[in-house]
Amino acid sequence: MTNLYWDTIGTGKINIVFLNGWGISSKIWFFIIKKLKYDFKFYLIDLPGSGKNNTLMPEKIDKIMKILYKIIPQNAILIGWSIGGLIVNYFALCYPKHSLALINVASSPCFIEKKNWPGIKKNVINRFYFYLKTKYYKTINNFLNIEQITSKQSTEDISILKIILSSEPQPNLELLNNNLEMIFSFDLREDIMCLKMPILRIYGELDNLIPKKIAYILDKKWPSTHSIIIKKSAHAPFITHKNQFCSILLNFTKSL
């Protein structure tokens, strides 16, 4: 995996690593990077099979952990959005002394609905997977349209992101398969309780994929972590509420 593409942007002293949602490249963080590139040094990593690395053979999760360990600097803040939250949590479980802090954005330690757990129904996941592999660019556009309607703002930002993401290569089908398997099989609800580094969890008030109820459940079960619910936002609050998201990020890093 010596040809894995990754990049750094920014001149700040604090390292931040982004890991993205299902089948979407690191370009999704465009506006956050633009606003905070003088405050942080961002590590942009497209996992094998996605973004700039879409021609690379996707790997199973344990191999991904070893790849990330070679790239991610020690004492970095790991930010995982959606399924990326599962990955950063798993990375922290594998290498508990490697990360300064974790931020989970619109993510869950268990994506699938279970008894007394507000997850996503399997048929919803399967339908989204089908659209991603058959109508990728249309599916991403539809996702961004929903974010725009939900927030009733950021129209110009959404339009810019559509152009940026439309120029990105379509993800490898095997990556989509691997992500589907991860969503169905991962349940880290008990494992993550042993994580000792500072952890922030950010949710969208109107998110239909990751219900805000998860925040209240984890607040009680995992009191050493902190959750923030961004009002009038959905599954991508860092797009529709970028200023508030940046303020949250800056305040969190000051507390470390």
Side-chain angles (χ1 to χ4, degrees), residues 147-180:
E147 295 295 304
Q148 179 180 320
I149 292 170
T150 303
S151 67
K152 296 182 181 179
Q153 59 184 347
S154 305
T155 300
E156 183 178 349
D157 289 351
I158 296 291
S159 298
I160 292 171
L161 267 182
K162 284 181 180 180
I163 294 171
I164 292 173
L165 294 177
S166 68
S167 67
E168 288 289 282
Q170 188 167 326
N172 187 298
L173 181 58
E174 189 166 342
L175 171 82
L176 299 181
N177 287 332
N178 285 356
N179 285 177
L180 181 68

Side-chain angles (χ1 to χ4, degrees), residues 217-236:
I217 295 172
L218 291 180
D219 282 346
K220 292 180 180 179
K221 191 173 183 179
W222 202 12
S224 61
T225 68
H226 177 54
S227 67
I228 294 176
I229 298 173
I230 297 181
K231 293 183 178 180
K232 299 181 180 179
S233 71
H235 194 58

Side-chain angles (χ1 to χ4, degrees), residues 18-22 29 78-93 102-111 182 186 188 192 195 199 222:
F18 286 130
L19 288 175
N20 314 307
W22 197 0
W29 300 99
L78 273 60
I79 300 181
W81 169 51
S82 195
I83 193 174
L86 276 179
I87 297 175
V88 300
N89 289 337
Y90 194 69
F91 180 86
L93 289 167
L102 304 181
I103 300 178
N104 285 207
V105 182
S107 189
S108 171
C110 178
F111 273 66
M182 192 185 310
F186 267 45
L188 302 180
I192 57 176
L195 294 176
I199 298 174
W222 202 12

